[in-house]
Amino acid sequence: MGVGGMYTLDYNNNKKKMKKKPFQTVELKVRMDCDGCELKVKKALSSLSGVKSVEINRKLQKVTVTGHVEASKVLKKAKATGKRAEMWPYVPYNLVAQPYAAPAYDKRAPPGFVRNVDASSSSSSIGALVTRYEDPYVTFFSDDNPNACSLM
């Protein structure tokens, strides 16, 4: 019981508990042509709560935002600047099994990158990808191998 009788004030019940968002890195592809575009995007994304840093690579058209943020909110804020923005769709070409197959190859990709294609999720659209495993000993002694005689 409280001091004044049967009613007590509990100040802790009125506070809202906010969950802290996880620290993450969000990569976007944003179309930027000049220093003004770059500054506009950087200023807009820096104003989001929880953002620790904003890095822009204008040559690759890539924006990297790190902090306690949600990817959807970062993308929405980037689109609010009037620029064409999307999540970073590319991965380094050495991480893809067949980087120059039709679904993965993209002419607009920066050098050294190809489009991120997940073979397990969209196997119907990757009909052009054929994985062929050959026994290496078969090719050693074939007539098509010009060095077959030098192995013996």
Side-chain angles (χ1 to χ4, degrees):
M1 284 233 179
V3 176
M6 59 189 263
Y7 297 108
T8 59
L9 295 175
D10 189 10
Y11 292 105
N12 293 332
N13 287 340
N14 295 335
K15 293 182 181 178
K16 293 181 181 178
K17 294 182 181 179
M18 305 216 14
K19 285 187 175 180
K20 194 172 186 179
K21 297 170 189 145
F23 190 82
Q24 65 179 349
T25 301
V26 180
E27 294 178 334
L28 302 172
K29 180 181 179 186
V30 181
R31 176 87 173 139
M32 296 173 286
D33 296 324
C34 62
D35 292 333
C37 298
E38 186 177 331
L39 185 63
K40 184 177 183 179
V41 171
K42 187 169 188 164
K43 193 175 186 181
L45 294 177
S46 296
S47 69
L48 283 171
S49 63
V51 173
K52 297 293 180 193
S53 69
V54 177
E55 298 173 13
I56 296 179
N57 186 340
R58 193 167 66 197
K59 184 177 180 183
L60 295 177
Q61 304 288 314
K62 183 177 182 180
V63 178
T64 306
V65 179
T66 56
H68 299 281
V69 293
E70 292 180 23
S72 60
K73 288 185 179 181
V74 173
L75 181 62
K76 186 176 180 182
K77 190 71 166 183
K79 286 182 177 181
T81 62
K83 304 293 175 197
R84 191 178 341 165
E86 62 179 315
M87 297 306 282
W88 185 251
Y90 304 117
V91 295
Y93 71 90
N94 58 357
L95 296 180
V96 178
Q98 296 180 349
Y100 296 108
Y105 183 70
D106 188 3
K107 289 182 190 177
R108 296 178 305 233
F113 290 92
V114 293
R115 193 161 281 279
N116 189 8
V117 177
D118 187 16
S120 63
S121 66
S122 59
S123 61
S124 62
S125 66
I126 308 178
L129 288 178
V130 176
T131 306
R132 193 173 85 185
Y133 298 102
E134 291 184 359
D135 190 9
Y137 300 114
V138 173
T139 57
F140 281 151
F141 301 107
S142 71
D143 292 334
D144 297 331
N145 188 357
N147 298 323
C149 296
S150 64
L151 293 175
M152 295 180 133

